Amino acid sequence: MIHTIYQGPDSHALRKYVEFLYEQEDELLTDDDWTAIQEGREDVVQGRVISLEEYEKARGL
């Protein structure tokens, strides 16, 4: 998945985020954060996702 993002149109954002994380001295993510990330990954695997366009439309953006 990261490989796909890295080669996609938003690759610059991923690179900036990785650089930001690399520069941090303190732990940025808590155990709850890692749990939420895992739950999100499971949602993607199970197909419980919507497109950005659907999200924006639902919120009138």
Side-chain angles (χ1 to χ4, degrees), residues 17-41:
Y17 184 64
V18 170
E19 289 172 7
F20 167 78
L21 291 177
Y22 183 75
E23 294 171 358
Q24 300 304 306
E25 293 182 16
D26 297 329
E27 183 177 337
L28 294 175
L29 300 175
T30 66
D31 289 341
D32 289 340
D33 295 330
W34 287 112
T35 299
I37 290 168
Q38 183 58 35
E39 289 172 357
R41 293 181 79 190

mmCIF file with all atom_site columns, all heavy atoms in Angstrom, residues 17-41:
data_model
loop_
_atom_site.group_PDB
_atom_site.id
_atom_site.type_symbol
_atom_site.label_atom_id
_atom_site.label_alt_id
_atom_site.label_comp_id
_atom_site.label_asym_id
_atom_site.label_entity_id
_atom_site.label_seq_id
_atom_site.pdbx_PDB_ins_code
_atom_site.Cartn_x
_atom_site.Cartn_y
_atom_site.Cartn_z
_atom_site.occupancy
_atom_site.B_iso_or_equiv
_atom_site.pdbx_formal_charge
_atom_site.auth_seq_id
_atom_site.auth_comp_id
_atom_site.auth_asym_id
_atom_site.auth_atom_id
_atom_site.pdbx_PDB_model_num
ATOM 1   N N   . TYR A 1 17 ? 5.749   13.582 5.322  1.00 0.00 ? 17 TYR A N   1
ATOM 2   C CA  . TYR A 1 17 ? 5.324   12.982 6.584  1.00 0.00 ? 17 TYR A CA  1
ATOM 3   C C   . TYR A 1 17 ? 6.402   12.059 7.140  1.00 0.00 ? 17 TYR A C   1
ATOM 4   O O   . TYR A 1 17 ? 6.711   12.093 8.324  1.00 0.00 ? 17 TYR A O   1
ATOM 5   C CB  . TYR A 1 17 ? 4.007   12.222 6.389  1.00 0.00 ? 17 TYR A CB  1
ATOM 6   C CG  . TYR A 1 17 ? 3.467   11.649 7.671  1.00 0.00 ? 17 TYR A CG  1
ATOM 7   C CD1 . TYR A 1 17 ? 3.071   12.474 8.716  1.00 0.00 ? 17 TYR A CD1 1
ATOM 8   C CD2 . TYR A 1 17 ? 3.359   10.275 7.839  1.00 0.00 ? 17 TYR A CD2 1
ATOM 9   C CE1 . TYR A 1 17 ? 2.590   11.956 9.892  1.00 0.00 ? 17 TYR A CE1 1
ATOM 10  C CE2 . TYR A 1 17 ? 2.875   9.738  9.012  1.00 0.00 ? 17 TYR A CE2 1
ATOM 11  C CZ  . TYR A 1 17 ? 2.493   10.587 10.038 1.00 0.00 ? 17 TYR A CZ  1
ATOM 12  O OH  . TYR A 1 17 ? 2.016   10.065 11.207 1.00 0.00 ? 17 TYR A OH  1
ATOM 13  N N   . VAL A 1 18 ? 7.002   11.253 6.292  1.00 0.00 ? 18 VAL A N   1
ATOM 14  C CA  . VAL A 1 18 ? 8.076   10.356 6.729  1.00 0.00 ? 18 VAL A CA  1
ATOM 15  C C   . VAL A 1 18 ? 9.265   11.173 7.240  1.00 0.00 ? 18 VAL A C   1
ATOM 16  O O   . VAL A 1 18 ? 9.849   10.850 8.281  1.00 0.00 ? 18 VAL A O   1
ATOM 17  C CB  . VAL A 1 18 ? 8.499   9.393  5.594  1.00 0.00 ? 18 VAL A CB  1
ATOM 18  C CG1 . VAL A 1 18 ? 9.767   8.649  5.959  1.00 0.00 ? 18 VAL A CG1 1
ATOM 19  C CG2 . VAL A 1 18 ? 7.371   8.417  5.291  1.00 0.00 ? 18 VAL A CG2 1
ATOM 20  N N   . GLU A 1 19 ? 9.604   12.239 6.553  1.00 0.00 ? 19 GLU A N   1
ATOM 21  C CA  . GLU A 1 19 ? 10.690  13.108 7.012  1.00 0.00 ? 19 GLU A CA  1
ATOM 22  C C   . GLU A 1 19 ? 10.356  13.706 8.373  1.00 0.00 ? 19 GLU A C   1
ATOM 23  O O   . GLU A 1 19 ? 11.217  13.784 9.263  1.00 0.00 ? 19 GLU A O   1
ATOM 24  C CB  . GLU A 1 19 ? 10.957  14.207 5.993  1.00 0.00 ? 19 GLU A CB  1
ATOM 25  C CG  . GLU A 1 19 ? 11.607  13.706 4.720  1.00 0.00 ? 19 GLU A CG  1
ATOM 26  C CD  . GLU A 1 19 ? 11.684  14.775 3.640  1.00 0.00 ? 19 GLU A CD  1
ATOM 27  O OE1 . GLU A 1 19 ? 11.359  15.955 3.915  1.00 0.00 ? 19 GLU A OE1 1
ATOM 28  O OE2 . GLU A 1 19 ? 12.057  14.419 2.516  1.00 0.00 ? 19 GLU A OE2 1
ATOM 29  N N   . PHE A 1 20 ? 9.120   14.140 8.552  1.00 0.00 ? 20 PHE A N   1
ATOM 30  C CA  . PHE A 1 20 ? 8.682   14.692 9.832  1.00 0.00 ? 20 PHE A CA  1
ATOM 31  C C   . PHE A 1 20 ? 8.832   13.666 10.947 1.00 0.00 ? 20 PHE A C   1
ATOM 32  O O   . PHE A 1 20 ? 9.358   13.964 12.019 1.00 0.00 ? 20 PHE A O   1
ATOM 33  C CB  . PHE A 1 20 ? 7.230   15.162 9.728  1.00 0.00 ? 20 PHE A CB  1
ATOM 34  C CG  . PHE A 1 20 ? 6.589   15.467 11.053 1.00 0.00 ? 20 PHE A CG  1
ATOM 35  C CD1 . PHE A 1 20 ? 6.870   16.659 11.705 1.00 0.00 ? 20 PHE A CD1 1
ATOM 36  C CD2 . PHE A 1 20 ? 5.715   14.568 11.632 1.00 0.00 ? 20 PHE A CD2 1
ATOM 37  C CE1 . PHE A 1 20 ? 6.282   16.940 12.927 1.00 0.00 ? 20 PHE A CE1 1
ATOM 38  C CE2 . PHE A 1 20 ? 5.127   14.848 12.857 1.00 0.00 ? 20 PHE A CE2 1
ATOM 39  C CZ  . PHE A 1 20 ? 5.409   16.038 13.504 1.00 0.00 ? 20 PHE A CZ  1
ATOM 40  N N   . LEU A 1 21 ? 8.365   12.446 10.705 1.00 0.00 ? 21 LEU A N   1
ATOM 41  C CA  . LEU A 1 21 ? 8.468   11.396 11.718 1.00 0.00 ? 21 LEU A CA  1
ATOM 42  C C   . LEU A 1 21 ? 9.920   11.080 12.043 1.00 0.00 ? 21 LEU A C   1
ATOM 43  O O   . LEU A 1 21 ? 10.272  10.857 13.204 1.00 0.00 ? 21 LEU A O   1
ATOM 44  C CB  . LEU A 1 21 ? 7.756   10.126 11.245 1.00 0.00 ? 21 LEU A CB  1
ATOM 45  C CG  . LEU A 1 21 ? 6.243   10.205 11.144 1.00 0.00 ? 21 LEU A CG  1
ATOM 46  C CD1 . LEU A 1 21 ? 5.696   8.894  10.580 1.00 0.00 ? 21 LEU A CD1 1
ATOM 47  C CD2 . LEU A 1 21 ? 5.613   10.510 12.488 1.00 0.00 ? 21 LEU A CD2 1
ATOM 48  N N   . TYR A 1 22 ? 10.746  11.067 11.043 1.00 0.00 ? 22 TYR A N   1
ATOM 49  C CA  . TYR A 1 22 ? 12.162  10.747 11.236 1.00 0.00 ? 22 TYR A CA  1
ATOM 50  C C   . TYR A 1 22 ? 12.847  11.780 12.140 1.00 0.00 ? 22 TYR A C   1
ATOM 51  O O   . TYR A 1 22 ? 13.722  11.441 12.932 1.00 0.00 ? 22 TYR A O   1
ATOM 52  C CB  . TYR A 1 22 ? 12.865  10.684 9.884  1.00 0.00 ? 22 TYR A CB  1
ATOM 53  C CG  . TYR A 1 22 ? 14.314  10.300 9.984  1.00 0.00 ? 22 TYR A CG  1
ATOM 54  C CD1 . TYR A 1 22 ? 14.685  8.978  10.232 1.00 0.00 ? 22 TYR A CD1 1
ATOM 55  C CD2 . TYR A 1 22 ? 15.312  11.245 9.833  1.00 0.00 ? 22 TYR A CD2 1
ATOM 56  C CE1 . TYR A 1 22 ? 16.022  8.617  10.331 1.00 0.00 ? 22 TYR A CE1 1
ATOM 57  C CE2 . TYR A 1 22 ? 16.653  10.896 9.931  1.00 0.00 ? 22 TYR A CE2 1
ATOM 58  C CZ  . TYR A 1 22 ? 16.998  9.578  10.181 1.00 0.00 ? 22 TYR A CZ  1
ATOM 59  O OH  . TYR A 1 22 ? 18.313  9.229  10.284 1.00 0.00 ? 22 TYR A OH  1
ATOM 60  N N   . GLU A 1 23 ? 12.428  13.028 12.038 1.00 0.00 ? 23 GLU A N   1
ATOM 61  C CA  . GLU A 1 23 ? 13.047  14.104 12.804 1.00 0.00 ? 23 GLU A CA  1
ATOM 62  C C   . GLU A 1 23 ? 12.578  14.167 14.259 1.00 0.00 ? 23 GLU A C   1
ATOM 63  O O   . GLU A 1 23 ? 13.183  14.862 15.065 1.00 0.00 ? 23 GLU A O   1
ATOM 64  C CB  . GLU A 1 23 ? 12.782  15.442 12.122 1.00 0.00 ? 23 GLU A CB  1
ATOM 65  C CG  . GLU A 1 23 ? 13.468  15.554 10.774 1.00 0.00 ? 23 GLU A CG  1
ATOM 66  C CD  . GLU A 1 23 ? 13.038  16.789 9.998  1.00 0.00 ? 23 GLU A CD  1
ATOM 67  O OE1 . GLU A 1 23 ? 12.180  17.546 10.494 1.00 0.00 ? 23 GLU A OE1 1
ATOM 68  O OE2 . GLU A 1 23 ? 13.558  16.981 8.894  1.00 0.00 ? 23 GLU A OE2 1
ATOM 69  N N   . GLN A 1 24 ? 11.515  13.466 14.602 1.00 0.00 ? 24 GLN A N   1
ATOM 70  C CA  . GLN A 1 24 ? 10.968  13.515 15.954 1.00 0.00 ? 24 GLN A CA  1
ATOM 71  C C   . GLN A 1 24 ? 11.800  12.681 16.916 1.00 0.00 ? 24 GLN A C   1
ATOM 72  O O   . GLN A 1 24 ? 12.229  11.584 16.590 1.00 0.00 ? 24 GLN A O   1
ATOM 73  C CB  . GLN A 1 24 ? 9.519   13.023 15.966 1.00 0.00 ? 24 GLN A CB  1
ATOM 74  C CG  . GLN A 1 24 ? 8.599   13.845 15.103 1.00 0.00 ? 24 GLN A CG  1
ATOM 75  C CD  . GLN A 1 24 ? 8.605   15.317 15.471 1.00 0.00 ? 24 GLN A CD  1
ATOM 76  O OE1 . GLN A 1 24 ? 8.387   15.679 16.611 1.00 0.00 ? 24 GLN A OE1 1
ATOM 77  N NE2 . GLN A 1 24 ? 8.872   16.160 14.491 1.00 0.00 ? 24 GLN A NE2 1
ATOM 78  N N   . GLU A 1 25 ? 11.992  13.220 18.124 1.00 0.00 ? 25 GLU A N   1
ATOM 79  C CA  . GLU A 1 25 ? 12.736  12.495 19.135 1.00 0.00 ? 25 GLU A CA  1
ATOM 80  C C   . GLU A 1 25 ? 11.797  11.733 20.070 1.00 0.00 ? 25 GLU A C   1
ATOM 81  O O   . GLU A 1 25 ? 12.174  10.708 20.626 1.00 0.00 ? 25 GLU A O   1
ATOM 82  C CB  . GLU A 1 25 ? 13.605  13.456 19.937 1.00 0.00 ? 25 GLU A CB  1
ATOM 83  C CG  . GLU A 1 25 ? 14.710  14.071 19.091 1.00 0.00 ? 25 GLU A CG  1
ATOM 84  C CD  . GLU A 1 25 ? 15.597  14.991 19.893 1.00 0.00 ? 25 GLU A CD  1
ATOM 85  O OE1 . GLU A 1 25 ? 15.555  14.923 21.126 1.00 0.00 ? 25 GLU A OE1 1
ATOM 86  O OE2 . GLU A 1 25 ? 16.332  15.764 19.276 1.00 0.00 ? 25 GLU A OE2 1
ATOM 87  N N   . ASP A 1 26 ? 10.618  12.252 20.284 1.00 0.00 ? 26 ASP A N   1
ATOM 88  C CA  . ASP A 1 26 ? 9.655   11.610 21.177 1.00 0.00 ? 26 ASP A CA  1
ATOM 89  C C   . ASP A 1 26 ? 8.790   10.635 20.400 1.00 0.00 ? 26 ASP A C   1
ATOM 90  O O   . ASP A 1 26 ? 8.611   10.758 19.191 1.00 0.00 ? 26 ASP A O   1
ATOM 91  C CB  . ASP A 1 26 ? 8.746   12.654 21.836 1.00 0.00 ? 26 ASP A CB  1
ATOM 92  C CG  . ASP A 1 26 ? 9.523   13.615 22.711 1.00 0.00 ? 26 ASP A CG  1
ATOM 93  O OD1 . ASP A 1 26 ? 10.553  13.190 23.280 1.00 0.00 ? 26 ASP A OD1 1
ATOM 94  O OD2 . ASP A 1 26 ? 9.118   14.777 22.816 1.00 0.00 ? 26 ASP A OD2 1
ATOM 95  N N   . GLU A 1 27 ? 8.237   9.674  21.117 1.00 0.00 ? 27 GLU A N   1
ATOM 96  C CA  . GLU A 1 27 ? 7.314   8.737  20.478 1.00 0.00 ? 27 GLU A CA  1
ATOM 97  C C   . GLU A 1 27 ? 6.029   9.483  20.156 1.00 0.00 ? 27 GLU A C   1
ATOM 98  O O   . GLU A 1 27 ? 5.410   10.094 21.021 1.00 0.00 ? 27 GLU A O   1
ATOM 99  C CB  . GLU A 1 27 ? 7.018   7.567  21.417 1.00 0.00 ? 27 GLU A CB  1
ATOM 100 C CG  . GLU A 1 27 ? 6.135   6.527  20.795 1.00 0.00 ? 27 GLU A CG  1
ATOM 101 C CD  . GLU A 1 27 ? 5.905   5.329  21.693 1.00 0.00 ? 27 GLU A CD  1
ATOM 102 O OE1 . GLU A 1 27 ? 6.725   5.076  22.575 1.00 0.00 ? 27 GLU A OE1 1
ATOM 103 O OE2 . GLU A 1 27 ? 4.897   4.670  21.486 1.00 0.00 ? 27 GLU A OE2 1
ATOM 104 N N   . LEU A 1 28 ? 5.638   9.473  18.885 1.00 0.00 ? 28 LEU A N   1
ATOM 105 C CA  . LEU A 1 28 ? 4.461   10.221 18.452 1.00 0.00 ? 28 LEU A CA  1
ATOM 106 C C   . LEU A 1 28 ? 3.166   9.435  18.575 1.00 0.00 ? 28 LEU A C   1
ATOM 107 O O   . LEU A 1 28 ? 2.107   10.014 18.745 1.00 0.00 ? 28 LEU A O   1
ATOM 108 C CB  . LEU A 1 28 ? 4.626   10.657 16.998 1.00 0.00 ? 28 LEU A CB  1
ATOM 109 C CG  . LEU A 1 28 ? 5.732   11.663 16.729 1.00 0.00 ? 28 LEU A CG  1
ATOM 110 C CD1 . LEU A 1 28 ? 5.845   11.910 15.240 1.00 0.00 ? 28 LEU A CD1 1
ATOM 111 C CD2 . LEU A 1 28 ? 5.442   12.952 17.452 1.00 0.00 ? 28 LEU A CD2 1
ATOM 112 N N   . LEU A 1 29 ? 3.244   8.131  18.472 1.00 0.00 ? 29 LEU A N   1
ATOM 113 C CA  . LEU A 1 29 ? 2.032   7.323  18.448 1.00 0.00 ? 29 LEU A CA  1
ATOM 114 C C   . LEU A 1 29 ? 1.907   6.502  19.728 1.00 0.00 ? 29 LEU A C   1
ATOM 115 O O   . LEU A 1 29 ? 2.836   5.822  20.132 1.00 0.00 ? 29 LEU A O   1
ATOM 116 C CB  . LEU A 1 29 ? 2.032   6.406  17.227 1.00 0.00 ? 29 LEU A CB  1
ATOM 117 C CG  . LEU A 1 29 ? 2.086   7.124  15.879 1.00 0.00 ? 29 LEU A CG  1
ATOM 118 C CD1 . LEU A 1 29 ? 2.213   6.121  14.749 1.00 0.00 ? 29 LEU A CD1 1
ATOM 119 C CD2 . LEU A 1 29 ? 0.879   8.005  15.675 1.00 0.00 ? 29 LEU A CD2 1
ATOM 120 N N   . THR A 1 30 ? 0.731   6.574  20.318 1.00 0.00 ? 30 THR A N   1
ATOM 121 C CA  . THR A 1 30 ? 0.451   5.806  21.522 1.00 0.00 ? 30 THR A CA  1
ATOM 122 C C   . THR A 1 30 ? -0.052  4.417  21.137 1.00 0.00 ? 30 THR A C   1
ATOM 123 O O   . THR A 1 30 ? -0.324  4.141  19.952 1.00 0.00 ? 30 THR A O   1
ATOM 124 C CB  . THR A 1 30 ? -0.629  6.499  22.363 1.00 0.00 ? 30 THR A CB  1
ATOM 125 O OG1 . THR A 1 30 ? -1.865  6.480  21.612 1.00 0.00 ? 30 THR A OG1 1
ATOM 126 C CG2 . THR A 1 30 ? -0.247  7.934  22.692 1.00 0.00 ? 30 THR A CG2 1
ATOM 127 N N   . ASP A 1 31 ? -0.232  3.560  22.126 1.00 0.00 ? 31 ASP A N   1
ATOM 128 C CA  . ASP A 1 31 ? -0.807  2.242  21.859 1.00 0.00 ? 31 ASP A CA  1
ATOM 129 C C   . ASP A 1 31 ? -2.206  2.370  21.268 1.00 0.00 ? 31 ASP A C   1
ATOM 130 O O   . ASP A 1 31 ? -2.587  1.606  20.382 1.00 0.00 ? 31 ASP A O   1
ATOM 131 C CB  . ASP A 1 31 ? -0.851  1.411  23.147 1.00 0.00 ? 31 ASP A CB  1
ATOM 132 C CG  . ASP A 1 31 ? 0.528   0.963  23.591 1.00 0.00 ? 31 ASP A CG  1
ATOM 133 O OD1 . ASP A 1 31 ? 1.462   0.958  22.759 1.00 0.00 ? 31 ASP A OD1 1
ATOM 134 O OD2 . ASP A 1 31 ? 0.667   0.604  24.783 1.00 0.00 ? 31 ASP A OD2 1
ATOM 135 N N   . ASP A 1 32 ? -2.979  3.355  21.748 1.00 0.00 ? 32 ASP A N   1
ATOM 136 C CA  . ASP A 1 32 ? -4.316  3.588  21.183 1.00 0.00 ? 32 ASP A CA  1
ATOM 137 C C   . ASP A 1 32 ? -4.240  3.999  19.716 1.00 0.00 ? 32 ASP A C   1
ATOM 138 O O   . ASP A 1 32 ? -5.078  3.616  18.902 1.00 0.00 ? 32 ASP A O   1
ATOM 139 C CB  . ASP A 1 32 ? -5.063  4.654  21.976 1.00 0.00 ? 32 ASP A CB  1
ATOM 140 C CG  . ASP A 1 32 ? -5.492  4.191  23.360 1.00 0.00 ? 32 ASP A CG  1
ATOM 141 O OD1 . ASP A 1 32 ? -5.561  2.955  23.587 1.00 0.00 ? 32 ASP A OD1 1
ATOM 142 O OD2 . ASP A 1 32 ? -5.771  5.057  24.216 1.00 0.00 ? 32 ASP A OD2 1
ATOM 143 N N   . ASP A 1 33 ? -3.240  4.800  19.382 1.00 0.00 ? 33 ASP A N   1
ATOM 144 C CA  . ASP A 1 33 ? -3.045  5.196  17.982 1.00 0.00 ? 33 ASP A CA  1
ATOM 145 C C   . ASP A 1 33 ? -2.783  3.975  17.113 1.00 0.00 ? 33 ASP A C   1
ATOM 146 O O   . ASP A 1 33 ? -3.369  3.832  16.030 1.00 0.00 ? 33 ASP A O   1
ATOM 147 C CB  . ASP A 1 33 ? -1.875  6.172  17.841 1.00 0.00 ? 33 ASP A CB  1
ATOM 148 C CG  . ASP A 1 33 ? -2.121  7.502  18.524 1.00 0.00 ? 33 ASP A CG  1
ATOM 149 O OD1 . ASP A 1 33 ? -3.284  7.932  18.609 1.00 0.00 ? 33 ASP A OD1 1
ATOM 150 O OD2 . ASP A 1 33 ? -1.122  8.105  18.969 1.00 0.00 ? 33 ASP A OD2 1
ATOM 151 N N   . TRP A 1 34 ? -1.882  3.095  17.577 1.00 0.00 ? 34 TRP A N   1
ATOM 152 C CA  . TRP A 1 34 ? -1.555  1.896  16.803 1.00 0.00 ? 34 TRP A CA  1
ATOM 153 C C   . TRP A 1 34 ? -2.779  0.992  16.659 1.00 0.00 ? 34 TRP A C   1
ATOM 154 O O   . TRP A 1 34 ? -2.993  0.388  15.608 1.00 0.00 ? 34 TRP A O   1
ATOM 155 C CB  . TRP A 1 34 ? -0.389  1.132  17.424 1.00 0.00 ? 34 TRP A CB  1
ATOM 156 C CG  . TRP A 1 34 ? 0.915   1.829  17.207 1.00 0.00 ? 34 TRP A CG  1
ATOM 157 C CD1 . TRP A 1 34 ? 1.702   2.415  18.142 1.00 0.00 ? 34 TRP A CD1 1
ATOM 158 C CD2 . TRP A 1 34 ? 1.584   2.024  15.950 1.00 0.00 ? 34 TRP A CD2 1
ATOM 159 N NE1 . TRP A 1 34 ? 2.814   2.971  17.554 1.00 0.00 ? 34 TRP A NE1 1
ATOM 160 C CE2 . TRP A 1 34 ? 2.769   2.747  16.213 1.00 0.00 ? 34 TRP A CE2 1
ATOM 161 C CE3 . TRP A 1 34 ? 1.293   1.679  14.643 1.00 0.00 ? 34 TRP A CE3 1
ATOM 162 C CZ2 . TRP A 1 34 ? 3.663   3.105  15.202 1.00 0.00 ? 34 TRP A CZ2 1
ATOM 163 C CZ3 . TRP A 1 34 ? 2.182   2.040  13.643 1.00 0.00 ? 34 TRP A CZ3 1
ATOM 164 C CH2 . TRP A 1 34 ? 3.348   2.744  13.921 1.00 0.00 ? 34 TRP A CH2 1
ATOM 165 N N   . THR A 1 35 ? -3.607  0.923  17.705 1.00 0.00 ? 35 THR A N   1
ATOM 166 C CA  . THR A 1 35 ? -4.840  0.133  17.637 1.00 0.00 ? 35 THR A CA  1
ATOM 167 C C   . THR A 1 35 ? -5.773  0.714  16.586 1.00 0.00 ? 35 THR A C   1
ATOM 168 O O   . THR A 1 35 ? -6.348  -0.019 15.773 1.00 0.00 ? 35 THR A O   1
ATOM 169 C CB  . THR A 1 35 ? -5.529  0.096  19.014 1.00 0.00 ? 35 THR A CB  1
ATOM 170 O OG1 . THR A 1 35 ? -4.648  -0.530 19.951 1.00 0.00 ? 35 THR A OG1 1
ATOM 171 C CG2 . THR A 1 35 ? -6.831  -0.671 18.954 1.00 0.00 ? 35 THR A CG2 1
ATOM 172 N N   . ALA A 1 36 ? -5.923  2.037  16.576 1.00 0.00 ? 36 ALA A N   1
ATOM 173 C CA  . ALA A 1 36 ? -6.789  2.690  15.587 1.00 0.00 ? 36 ALA A CA  1
ATOM 174 C C   . ALA A 1 36 ? -6.264  2.482  14.170 1.00 0.00 ? 36 ALA A C   1
ATOM 175 O O   . ALA A 1 36 ? -7.053  2.269  13.235 1.00 0.00 ? 36 ALA A O   1
ATOM 176 C CB  . ALA A 1 36 ? -6.900  4.184  15.901 1.00 0.00 ? 36 ALA A CB  1
ATOM 177 N N   . ILE A 1 37 ? -4.968  2.527  14.003 1.00 0.00 ? 37 ILE A N   1
ATOM 178 C CA  . ILE A 1 37 ? -4.372  2.281  12.686 1.00 0.00 ? 37 ILE A CA  1
ATOM 179 C C   . ILE A 1 37 ? -4.680  0.865  12.224 1.00 0.00 ? 37 ILE A C   1
ATOM 180 O O   . ILE A 1 37 ? -5.076  0.645  11.072 1.00 0.00 ? 37 ILE A O   1
ATOM 181 C CB  . ILE A 1 37 ? -2.854  2.540  12.715 1.00 0.00 ? 37 ILE A CB  1
ATOM 182 C CG1 . ILE A 1 37 ? -2.590  4.039  12.866 1.00 0.00 ? 37 ILE A CG1 1
ATOM 183 C CG2 . ILE A 1 37 ? -2.174  1.982  11.466 1.00 0.00 ? 37 ILE A CG2 1
ATOM 184 C CD1 . ILE A 1 37 ? -1.152  4.390  13.192 1.00 0.00 ? 37 ILE A CD1 1
ATOM 185 N N   . GLN A 1 38 ? -4.524  -0.103 13.107 1.00 0.00 ? 38 GLN A N   1
ATOM 186 C CA  . GLN A 1 38 ? -4.818  -1.496 12.758 1.00 0.00 ? 38 GLN A CA  1
ATOM 187 C C   . GLN A 1 38 ? -6.292  -1.671 12.402 1.00 0.00 ? 38 GLN A C   1
ATOM 188 O O   . GLN A 1 38 ? -6.630  -2.360 11.440 1.00 0.00 ? 38 GLN A O   1
ATOM 189 C CB  . GLN A 1 38 ? -4.424  -2.445 13.892 1.00 0.00 ? 38 GLN A CB  1
ATOM 190 C CG  . GLN A 1 38 ? -4.641  -3.896 13.568 1.00 0.00 ? 38 GLN A CG  1
ATOM 191 C CD  . GLN A 1 38 ? -3.876  -4.362 12.337 1.00 0.00 ? 38 GLN A CD  1
ATOM 192 O OE1 . GLN A 1 38 ? -2.764  -3.921 12.074 1.00 0.00 ? 38 GLN A OE1 1
ATOM 193 N NE2 . GLN A 1 38 ? -4.474  -5.244 11.563 1.00 0.00 ? 38 GLN A NE2 1
ATOM 194 N N   . GLU A 1 39 ? -7.171  -1.041 13.171 1.00 0.00 ? 39 GLU A N   1
ATOM 195 C CA  . GLU A 1 39 ? -8.604  -1.126 12.867 1.00 0.00 ? 39 GLU A CA  1
ATOM 196 C C   . GLU A 1 39 ? -8.897  -0.518 11.496 1.00 0.00 ? 39 GLU A C   1
ATOM 197 O O   . GLU A 1 39 ? -9.709  -1.054 10.736 1.00 0.00 ? 39 GLU A O   1
ATOM 198 C CB  . GLU A 1 39 ? -9.405  -0.418 13.954 1.00 0.00 ? 39 GLU A CB  1
ATOM 199 C CG  . GLU A 1 39 ? -9.412  -1.165 15.269 1.00 0.00 ? 39 GLU A CG  1
ATOM 200 C CD  . GLU A 1 39 ? -10.038 -0.374 16.404 1.00 0.00 ? 39 GLU A CD  1
ATOM 201 O OE1 . GLU A 1 39 ? -10.437 0.800  16.192 1.00 0.00 ? 39 GLU A OE1 1
ATOM 202 O OE2 . GLU A 1 39 ? -10.117 -0.914 17.520 1.00 0.00 ? 39 GLU A OE2 1
ATOM 203 N N   . GLY A 1 40 ? -8.247  0.585  11.174 1.00 0.00 ? 40 GLY A N   1
ATOM 204 C CA  . GLY A 1 40 ? -8.434  1.211  9.867  1.00 0.00 ? 40 GLY A CA  1
ATOM 205 C C   . GLY A 1 40 ? -7.958  0.319  8.734  1.00 0.00 ? 40 GLY A C   1
ATOM 206 O O   . GLY A 1 40 ? -8.611  0.212  7.696  1.00 0.00 ? 40 GLY A O   1
ATOM 207 N N   . ARG A 1 41 ? -6.830  -0.331 8.950  1.00 0.00 ? 41 ARG A N   1
ATOM 208 C CA  . ARG A 1 41 ? -6.320  -1.256 7.925  1.00 0.00 ? 41 ARG A CA  1
ATOM 209 C C   . ARG A 1 41 ? -7.289  -2.407 7.715  1.00 0.00 ? 41 ARG A C   1
ATOM 210 O O   . ARG A 1 41 ? -7.531  -2.841 6.587  1.00 0.00 ? 41 ARG A O   1
ATOM 211 C CB  . ARG A 1 41 ? -4.945  -1.770 8.329  1.00 0.00 ? 41 ARG A CB  1
ATOM 212 C CG  . ARG A 1 41 ? -3.891  -0.664 8.330  1.00 0.00 ? 41 ARG A CG  1
ATOM 213 C CD  . ARG A 1 41 ? -2.552  -1.175 8.689  1.00 0.00 ? 41 ARG A CD  1
ATOM 214 N NE  . ARG A 1 41 ? -2.020  -1.815 7.486  1.00 0.00 ? 41 ARG A NE  1
ATOM 215 C CZ  . ARG A 1 41 ? -0.923  -2.545 7.466  1.00 0.00 ? 41 ARG A CZ  1
ATOM 216 N NH1 . ARG A 1 41 ? -0.237  -2.734 8.553  1.00 0.00 ? 41 ARG A NH1 1
ATOM 217 N NH2 . ARG A 1 41 ? -0.498  -3.081 6.342  1.00 0.00 ? 41 ARG A NH2 1
#
